[in-house]
Amino acid sequence: MKDLLYVEGFEQAEALLKPQRVEVLRHLAEPSSCTEVGVRLDQTPQRVYYHVKRLVDAGLVTQVSERRVRGIVEGIYQATAKSYWLSPQLIGTIGGRRARDELSLGYLIELVEDVQQDLAKIDRTRPELPTLGVSGRIALPPAHRKEFFDELRSTLQDLFAKYGGAEGDQFTLAIAVYPKEQE
């Protein structure tokens, strides 16, 4: 089972975006038959099979084995991935790319879409996948926002200058700063 399946095709997205199929998919995190999933969902095996067949055709579920039950061959199915990401390109940007204003929400959304596409392309079979994720929260009074953004930009420019040579593995560094609602 893959960690992630990046859904880029309309057929896959259409097959995935049905509430009943999402429920079936969740129950196929571990190999199961349509009968077993049907019992858990209080549905007939035939109804579950209908959804499983659509998910198999879309490459979202795989038949991993089969077994004989009272003379009938029963398929055992499993989800192909633990997580499914929908590509922003399924819809695309309406009206073209937004202005490249670093302080706009549109810029941040485009940055997140670019990061999502880059992450989907990473070769997960590499034995050592060098990535770093850091998250934290800070409180910025309005009077200090500009000072913070200027200092952050300066610090990053220094890092780019120091480590931006042509030698070594290429990495993308993306920083997202956005307001967080109080919990």
Side-chain angles (χ1 to χ4, degrees):
M1 175 184 275
K2 298 178 182 179
D3 284 334
L4 171 70
L5 181 68
Y6 195 58
V7 177
E8 296 180 272
F10 287 109
E11 299 78 20
Q12 279 187 315
E14 190 275 329
L16 179 62
L17 295 177
K18 303 266 191 247
Q20 289 182 335
R21 289 192 193 140
V22 171
E23 277 305 305
V24 169
L25 192 60
R26 285 189 178 117
H27 286 276
L28 293 174
E30 298 296 325
S32 299
S33 69
C34 293
T35 302
E36 293 166 336
V37 172
V39 167
R40 288 184 235 138
L41 294 176
D42 195 28
Q43 295 182 8
T44 66
Q46 294 82 3
R47 183 178 181 107
V48 171
Y49 179 74
Y50 170 81
H51 294 297
V52 168
K53 176 77 172 126
R54 298 301 174 277
L55 292 166
V56 167
D57 290 345
L60 305 170
V61 166
T62 305
Q63 182 173 344
V64 293
S65 67
E66 56 186 31
R67 64 183 174 208
R68 283 204 163 285
V69 177
R70 286 174 263 168
I72 297 173
V73 177
E74 182 177 56
I76 306 298
Y77 301 92
Q78 185 172 19
T80 57
K82 294 177 185 176
S83 296
Y84 297 82
W85 277 3
L86 294 175
S87 168
Q89 297 306 312
L90 285 168
I91 296 174
T93 302
I94 308 301
R97 299 287 273 183
R98 296 172 196 94
R100 302 301 283 187
D101 174 7
E102 294 175 340
L103 298 179
S104 74
L105 179 58
Y107 181 84
L108 183 59
I109 290 170
E110 287 180 3
L111 176 64
V112 170
E113 289 174 356
D114 290 346
V115 169
Q116 180 179 345
Q117 289 174 343
D118 287 347
L119 290 177
K121 293 175 187 172
I122 290 176
D123 180 7
R124 286 172 176 70
T125 61
R126 288 178 54 185
E128 184 180 309
L129 192 60
T131 61
L132 171 67
V134 178
S135 177
R137 296 198 182 152
I138 57 173
L140 288 175
H144 295 289
R145 285 183 191 154
K146 182 177 179 343
E147 178 185 353
F148 170 77
F149 287 135
D150 289 344
E151 186 176 342
L152 179 60
R153 183 179 291 114
S154 174
T155 300
L156 291 173
Q157 287 171 340
D158 290 346
L159 285 170
F160 292 146
K162 182 175 180 179
Y163 296 103
E167 295 180 21
D169 294 331
Q170 295 288 318
F171 288 86
T172 295
L173 174 63
I175 306 292
V177 179
Y178 55 92
K180 179 75 175 173
E181 295 294 322
Q182 298 288 333
E183 292 180 4

